[in-house]
Amino acid sequence: MDLLNTLVDKGLRRELPTREEALAVLATTDDDLLDVVAAAGKVRRHWFGRRVKLNYLVNLKSGLCPEDCSYCSQRLGSKADILKYTWLKPDQASEAAAAGVAGGAKRVCLVASGRGPTDRDVDRVSETIKTIKEQNEGVEVCACLGLLSDGQADRLRDAGADAYNHNLNTSESTYGDITSTHTYADRVDTVRKAHAAGLSACSGLIAGMGESDADLVDVVFSLRELDPDSVPVNFLIPMEGTPLATEWHLTPQRCLRILAMVRFVCPDVEVRIAGGREVHLRSMQPLALHLANSVFLGDYLTSEGQAGRADLDMIADAGFEVEGAGDVTLPRHRAGGGCHGDDAGGCHEGAAGGCHEGGGVCGSAPASSSASVPGAAPVTADAPRTDLVAVRRRGAGTDLAPNA
């Protein structure tokens, strides 16, 4: 297919595809799907080989968010039966982080629901970052706390944070349809604050909220222009008790096309499969590893994910390898500080993070358990898989061991 040959050539040169080419990837048929995956896989392997970076989430404060993000189980007015607790103490957060590191995670993402941190919250998280780094040698830490005020990104950096996550989620033109308590411009401003402070910026999207192909291309092109170091791709889980509970628009095939489009637009950036992979990709998760070079390990913020051991087995069985703590995630040309503007690139690779699922202002789509309910009735490929959505009842905020 001429389109795919063109996109591979552009990806190897870090050249931006046209909007029409990006839209054409999303419009390909299921008959062409394996060709699309193979083409995007060439770009992924060129920049990242067969390495997969593992990231681990620690939900520092769950629920009770004043923002009204429609996709979020922690939102104002949410009726989702999720865990609700206030700030974890530094040692509690470090213990949770250690479980992920022991499971192979290279980066820990510290998430807290809310509009944004107060200065006291920044002090609290700064102490937590220091504790985690002291007790877990070599770990990278990403913070995801919502909208940042002036100077807060600098303070997080000084405390030892490596990255800051804040997702754009959807296109600017449709942002007001999912959130009314803050704006798309607020999100852009926070990503820029993280960049300016020298933190590795992480910003991504949520697919499956009823958006059009044009919306998906718009947000990915906006991300490339904004130049984050990593792009988490979340797939909405319509969690009971949220306004988007009945929105089931995704199939495994569409998820793969979305990931391929992101890879072609941001060829040398860390593309992460984030919230919702178990629910929407299901048995096709291994194919997604040919497109993305990063995943979250174990559970998510308010919902359960695939067992950590199953994640590791999947990576190995698919012929990939877990990226070690001593490996540099960035391609060599970006490792010294990244590419901006003229460097044929736009978004560049590097830090992870990527808070997804119910994280208030910083959140996106909830993910879930991959285990089907025993005896459940057969379902068609595009039927809602509510049997795969499980509220997190273990790990941070509980007395049970985490999934990592």
Side-chain angles (χ1 to χ4, degrees):
M1 185 186 295
D2 289 344
L3 167 67
L4 297 179
N5 290 334
T6 297
L7 288 170
V8 170
D9 288 343
K10 287 186 173 183
L12 300 184
R13 298 194 305 266
R14 293 180 286 135
E15 181 180 336
L16 179 67
T18 66
R19 281 183 52 83
E20 291 71 24
E21 289 166 341
L23 286 166
V25 172
L26 297 179
T28 52
T29 68
D30 288 350
D31 288 341
D32 295 323
L33 182 61
L34 289 180
D35 292 332
V36 172
V37 172
K42 290 179 182 178
V43 178
R44 180 253 199 265
R45 288 192 301 277
H46 178 80
W47 296 113
F48 300 99
R50 303 191 76 83
R51 292 176 289 113
V52 177
K53 184 173 185 175
L54 297 182
N55 310 271
Y56 191 71
L57 284 163
V58 177
N59 198 0
L60 296 178
K61 179 171 73 77
S62 182
L64 308 175
C65 182
E67 303 298 292
D68 68 354
C69 307
S70 299
Y71 50 79
C72 182
S73 59
Q74 302 184 83
R75 72 187 297 273
L76 178 69
S78 171
K79 294 179 173 58
D81 185 25
I82 62 169
L83 291 170
K84 297 181 177 67
Y85 54 86
T86 190
W87 293 94
L88 298 181
K89 292 181 171 58
D91 283 342
Q92 293 174 311
S94 183
E95 182 179 358
V101 174
K106 182 175 179 177
R107 178 175 293 264
V108 172
C109 186
L110 303 177
V111 188
S113 62
R115 178 178 179 84
T118 64
D119 286 341
R120 181 183 178 189
D121 292 337
V122 172
D123 289 339
R124 190 193 323 262
V125 175
S126 295
E127 185 61 32
T128 297
I129 292 169
K130 293 174 183 177
T131 300
I132 288 173
K133 291 221 162 188
E134 288 171 358
Q135 297 180 2
N136 299 274
E137 184 178 357
V139 70
E140 300 172 358
V141 176
C142 176
C144 178
L145 311 174
L147 301 173
L148 294 176
S149 300
D150 290 345
Q152 290 183 329
D154 300 273
R155 292 170 60 195
L156 290 168
R157 180 206 61 212
D158 292 344
D162 300 283
Y164 195 84
N165 165 258
H166 200 64
N167 296 327
L168 296 188
N169 290 332
T170 193
S171 67
E172 183 174 12
S173 63
T174 60
Y175 193 82
D177 295 337
I178 63 166
T179 304
S180 69
T181 47
H182 61 273
T183 67
Y184 181 90
D186 290 332
R187 287 184 174 268
V188 169
D189 178 67
T190 286
V191 178
R192 287 176 173 161
K193 280 185 169 70
H195 255 320
L199 290 169
S200 189
C202 171
S203 189
L205 64 142
I206 310 172
M209 298 189 292
E211 69 282 338
S212 67
D213 284 2
D215 289 322
L216 287 170
V217 171
D218 282 349
V219 68
V220 177
F221 271 61
S222 294
L223 286 166
R224 173 155 175 159
E225 182 178 358
L226 191 57
D227 196 19
D229 290 329
S230 55
V231 176
V233 180
N234 299 280
F235 303 110
L236 174 75
I237 300 305
M239 185 171 278
E240 184 177 352
T242 66
L244 298 184
T246 60
E247 300 291 318
W248 288 84
H249 301 291
L250 298 172
T251 64
Q253 294 83 1
R254 179 154 176 82
C255 292
L256 290 171
R257 282 190 284 268
I258 291 168
L259 287 167
M261 184 270 287
V262 175
R263 174 56 71 197
F264 285 131
V265 175
C266 297
D268 55 347
V269 77
E270 180 188 344
V271 176
R272 184 174 315 106
I273 319 169
R277 65 178 166 96
E278 298 91 340
V279 176
H280 294 295
L281 282 162
R282 300 190 289 276
S283 61
M284 295 180 75
Q285 288 184 71
L287 275 181
L289 296 176
H290 291 273
L291 308 170
N293 62 295
S294 181
V295 299
F296 279 103
L297 175 75
D299 288 339
Y300 301 97
L301 298 178
T302 63
S303 56
E304 293 184 358
Q306 183 165 281
R309 181 69 255 174
D311 287 335
L312 298 177
D313 289 345
M314 176 183 71
I315 291 167
D317 290 348
F320 293 88
E321 60 185 27
V322 173
E323 184 172 292
D327 295 328
V328 178
T329 304
L330 290 164
R332 182 176 299 179
H333 65 277
R334 297 196 184 279
C339 141
H340 300 272
D342 297 337
D343 190 12
C347 10
H348 61 283
E349 203 295 313
C355 124
H356 55 297
E357 197 233 28
V361 170
C362 75
S364 70
S368 72
S369 169
S370 63
S372 298
V373 175
V379 294
T380 59
D382 58 352
R385 290 301 304 269
T386 54
D387 61 307
L388 296 182
V389 180
V391 173
R392 180 174 68 83
R393 302 294 186 199
R394 59 196 176 192
T398 78
D399 293 328
L400 299 178
N403 171 28

